[in-house]
Amino acid sequence: MDLGLLLHALIPSSTSFAILAAFFTYSAIVGSILPGKVVPGVILQDGSRLHYRCNGLQSLLLLVALLGMAAKMNYISPTVISDRGLELLSATFLLSCIVTLALYAAGCKSRNQGSSLKPHLTGNLIHDWWFGIQLNPQFMGIDLKFFFVRAGMMGWLIINLSVLARSIQDATLSQSMILYQLFCVLYILDYFFYEEYMTSTWDIIAERLGFMLVFGDLVWIPFGFSIQGWWLLNNKPELTTASVIANCFVFLIGYLVFRGANKQKHVFKKNPKAPIWGRPPKVIGGRLLASGFWGVARHCNYLGDLLLALSFSLPCGISSPIPYFYPIYLLILLIWRERRDEARCATKYKEVWAEYCKLVPWRILPYFY
């Protein structure tokens, strides 16, 4: 595609904005009315806590079913997303900019002193816009931080399914595409099955909602994480049986580490006495878990995340670096986030954190980093 065609393809149409409007309207309404487990969030500094309705899995399955029926009845094309990928990308980027400007303006005007809505202004416009001003801003009773990350994960699957439909329609479906789609479906369904674990993650409990999170949730997750699928539409790498088995092994190990570490942390926060790997947990200073995966590395969950990201790219072979954009980006992001997290924990836990670092010297990958 030459530059002129690329720029033209990036111009959003009214159809792309209509697709986004329908998607977010569906997510807001269905997410508010479908039954689901109501999970209390962490206790904030002022003693308050938010509650999250974890019905993302039901919302996602219902959406897929509705889209499937609409495609079957020829109301919509199953390739409508893959046909308009670039313009949807630019439309979502514009929406992210508008949303973050609105969040910035609302945050500046806020006089609320509660932990969720208290404005945190540094005086640096770029910093405040990028990192956000408020911890948990809401719109019409909807927690926007939780809403956006759910929308991003749902959007990732919808894009992948449309790319898969395009591959089938063009008769280019390959073993690599099947493997990539399978891994992503399992990962996304697992995310929503354990959606309540998201309420105890760094993004939800510590990050304020600014451009960094909004762009990451609405643009980076659905469009960046699906690069491998787009690439496989025009490329058909040959995979050996050994490479397929190795790829499955990487995915399985990544999943066990990622899910296991996050589950241990979530359970520990709910019940600090719950056994880890069949034994009483080792706790530093009565606050920090040093058992299980958290006794292997201080951010062992990041290692699992990186292995999963790598498993999404391995079906593409090694002929091009493009499919590896996601794991490379994630490596840089998680090292940056790990450094920020370490600084925050050192300030918050002081000598307890120093003791934990002595007991668990490895940051992400044992004996390496």
PDB file of all heavy atoms in Angstrom, residues 65-78:
ATOM      1  N   ALA A  65     -22.698 -13.803  20.108  1.00  0.00           N
ATOM      2  CA  ALA A  65     -23.900 -14.497  19.632  1.00  0.00           C
ATOM      3  C   ALA A  65     -24.766 -13.571  18.787  1.00  0.00           C
ATOM      4  O   ALA A  65     -25.270 -13.966  17.720  1.00  0.00           O
ATOM      5  CB  ALA A  65     -24.703 -15.027  20.821  1.00  0.00           C
ATOM      6  N   LEU A  66     -24.948 -12.339  19.229  1.00  0.00           N
ATOM      7  CA  LEU A  66     -25.762 -11.380  18.481  1.00  0.00           C
ATOM      8  C   LEU A  66     -25.132 -11.046  17.133  1.00  0.00           C
ATOM      9  O   LEU A  66     -25.826 -10.977  16.104  1.00  0.00           O
ATOM     10  CB  LEU A  66     -25.946 -10.097  19.303  1.00  0.00           C
ATOM     11  CG  LEU A  66     -26.828 -10.208  20.553  1.00  0.00           C
ATOM     12  CD1 LEU A  66     -26.791  -8.904  21.347  1.00  0.00           C
ATOM     13  CD2 LEU A  66     -28.263 -10.560  20.174  1.00  0.00           C
ATOM     14  N   LEU A  67     -23.815 -10.851  17.122  1.00  0.00           N
ATOM     15  CA  LEU A  67     -23.122 -10.564  15.866  1.00  0.00           C
ATOM     16  C   LEU A  67     -23.191 -11.766  14.924  1.00  0.00           C
ATOM     17  O   LEU A  67     -23.346 -11.606  13.706  1.00  0.00           O
ATOM     18  CB  LEU A  67     -21.667 -10.187  16.140  1.00  0.00           C
ATOM     19  CG  LEU A  67     -21.438  -8.848  16.845  1.00  0.00           C
ATOM     20  CD1 LEU A  67     -19.963  -8.660  17.160  1.00  0.00           C
ATOM     21  CD2 LEU A  67     -21.951  -7.689  15.995  1.00  0.00           C
ATOM     22  N   GLY A  68     -23.075 -12.961  15.493  1.00  0.00           N
ATOM     23  CA  GLY A  68     -23.165 -14.161  14.674  1.00  0.00           C
ATOM     24  C   GLY A  68     -24.531 -14.301  14.026  1.00  0.00           C
ATOM     25  O   GLY A  68     -24.631 -14.636  12.835  1.00  0.00           O
ATOM     26  N   MET A  69     -25.577 -14.047  14.794  1.00  0.00           N
ATOM     27  CA  MET A  69     -26.929 -14.133  14.239  1.00  0.00           C
ATOM     28  C   MET A  69     -27.169 -13.052  13.184  1.00  0.00           C
ATOM     29  O   MET A  69     -27.789 -13.310  12.142  1.00  0.00           O
ATOM     30  CB  MET A  69     -27.956 -14.024  15.366  1.00  0.00           C
ATOM     31  CG  MET A  69     -28.033 -15.251  16.255  1.00  0.00           C
ATOM     32  SD  MET A  69     -29.436 -15.209  17.408  1.00  0.00           S
ATOM     33  CE  MET A  69     -28.941 -13.837  18.461  1.00  0.00           C
ATOM     34  N   ALA A  70     -26.657 -11.843  13.457  1.00  0.00           N
ATOM     35  CA  ALA A  70     -26.830 -10.748  12.502  1.00  0.00           C
ATOM     36  C   ALA A  70     -26.109 -11.048  11.192  1.00  0.00           C
ATOM     37  O   ALA A  70     -26.615 -10.747  10.104  1.00  0.00           O
ATOM     38  CB  ALA A  70     -26.315  -9.442  13.109  1.00  0.00           C
ATOM     39  N   ALA A  71     -24.910 -11.662  11.289  1.00  0.00           N
ATOM     40  CA  ALA A  71     -24.170 -12.031  10.081  1.00  0.00           C
ATOM     41  C   ALA A  71     -24.886 -13.155   9.333  1.00  0.00           C
ATOM     42  O   ALA A  71     -24.949 -13.150   8.099  1.00  0.00           O
ATOM     43  CB  ALA A  71     -22.754 -12.455  10.456  1.00  0.00           C
ATOM     44  N   LYS A  72     -25.444 -14.097  10.097  1.00  0.00           N
ATOM     45  CA  LYS A  72     -26.162 -15.221   9.477  1.00  0.00           C
ATOM     46  C   LYS A  72     -27.386 -14.736   8.710  1.00  0.00           C
ATOM     47  O   LYS A  72     -27.734 -15.274   7.641  1.00  0.00           O
ATOM     48  CB  LYS A  72     -26.588 -16.198  10.572  1.00  0.00           C
ATOM     49  CG  LYS A  72     -27.254 -17.473  10.079  1.00  0.00           C
ATOM     50  CD  LYS A  72     -26.264 -18.397   9.393  1.00  0.00           C
ATOM     51  CE  LYS A  72     -26.897 -19.728   9.053  1.00  0.00           C
ATOM     52  NZ  LYS A  72     -25.957 -20.637   8.353  1.00  0.00           N
ATOM     53  N   MET A  73     -28.022 -13.684   9.239  1.00  0.00           N
ATOM     54  CA  MET A  73     -29.231 -13.146   8.605  1.00  0.00           C
ATOM     55  C   MET A  73     -28.907 -12.033   7.606  1.00  0.00           C
ATOM     56  O   MET A  73     -29.807 -11.348   7.124  1.00  0.00           O
ATOM     57  CB  MET A  73     -30.183 -12.637   9.683  1.00  0.00           C
ATOM     58  CG  MET A  73     -30.614 -13.726  10.669  1.00  0.00           C
ATOM     59  SD  MET A  73     -31.521 -13.085  12.099  1.00  0.00           S
ATOM     60  CE  MET A  73     -33.044 -12.558  11.286  1.00  0.00           C
ATOM     61  N   ASN A  74     -27.601 -11.837   7.339  1.00  0.00           N
ATOM     62  CA  ASN A  74     -27.119 -10.853   6.367  1.00  0.00           C
ATOM     63  C   ASN A  74     -27.450  -9.411   6.743  1.00  0.00           C
ATOM     64  O   ASN A  74     -27.556  -8.549   5.872  1.00  0.00           O
ATOM     65  CB  ASN A  74     -27.687 -11.160   4.970  1.00  0.00           C
ATOM     66  CG  ASN A  74     -27.152 -12.464   4.409  1.00  0.00           C
ATOM     67  OD1 ASN A  74     -25.981 -12.785   4.586  1.00  0.00           O
ATOM     68  ND2 ASN A  74     -28.018 -13.221   3.752  1.00  0.00           N
ATOM     69  N   TYR A  75     -27.593  -9.153   8.055  1.00  0.00           N
ATOM     70  CA  TYR A  75     -27.782  -7.773   8.498  1.00  0.00           C
ATOM     71  C   TYR A  75     -26.453  -7.016   8.535  1.00  0.00           C
ATOM     72  O   TYR A  75     -26.414  -5.808   8.327  1.00  0.00           O
ATOM     73  CB  TYR A  75     -28.440  -7.740   9.881  1.00  0.00           C
ATOM     74  CG  TYR A  75     -29.897  -8.143   9.880  1.00  0.00           C
ATOM     75  CD1 TYR A  75     -30.402  -8.986  10.853  1.00  0.00           C
ATOM     76  CD2 TYR A  75     -30.778  -7.681   8.900  1.00  0.00           C
ATOM     77  CE1 TYR A  75     -31.736  -9.375  10.860  1.00  0.00           C
ATOM     78  CE2 TYR A  75     -32.106  -8.057   8.894  1.00  0.00           C
ATOM     79  CZ  TYR A  75     -32.583  -8.905   9.871  1.00  0.00           C
ATOM     80  OH  TYR A  75     -33.909  -9.283   9.858  1.00  0.00           O
ATOM     81  N   ILE A  76     -25.391  -7.748   8.828  1.00  0.00           N
ATOM     82  CA  ILE A  76     -24.053  -7.166   8.823  1.00  0.00           C
ATOM     83  C   ILE A  76     -23.103  -8.136   8.136  1.00  0.00           C
ATOM     84  O   ILE A  76     -23.388  -9.332   8.024  1.00  0.00           O
ATOM     85  CB  ILE A  76     -23.536  -6.863  10.245  1.00  0.00           C
ATOM     86  CG1 ILE A  76     -23.413  -8.165  11.054  1.00  0.00           C
ATOM     87  CG2 ILE A  76     -24.397  -5.840  10.952  1.00  0.00           C
ATOM     88  CD1 ILE A  76     -22.697  -7.984  12.382  1.00  0.00           C
ATOM     89  N   SER A  77     -21.980  -7.629   7.701  1.00  0.00           N
ATOM     90  CA  SER A  77     -20.948  -8.482   7.117  1.00  0.00           C
ATOM     91  C   SER A  77     -19.989  -8.918   8.216  1.00  0.00           C
ATOM     92  O   SER A  77     -19.569  -8.093   9.038  1.00  0.00           O
ATOM     93  CB  SER A  77     -20.174  -7.724   6.037  1.00  0.00           C
ATOM     94  OG  SER A  77     -18.996  -8.432   5.675  1.00  0.00           O
ATOM     95  N   PRO A  78     -19.621 -10.191   8.278  1.00  0.00           N
ATOM     96  CA  PRO A  78     -18.672 -10.630   9.311  1.00  0.00           C
ATOM     97  C   PRO A  78     -17.289 -10.011   9.142  1.00  0.00           C
ATOM     98  O   PRO A  78     -16.483 -10.044  10.065  1.00  0.00           O
ATOM     99  CB  PRO A  78     -18.630 -12.153   9.125  1.00  0.00           C
ATOM    100  CG  PRO A  78     -19.074 -12.390   7.725  1.00  0.00           C
ATOM    101  CD  PRO A  78     -20.067 -11.305   7.420  1.00  0.00           C
TER     102      PRO A  78
END
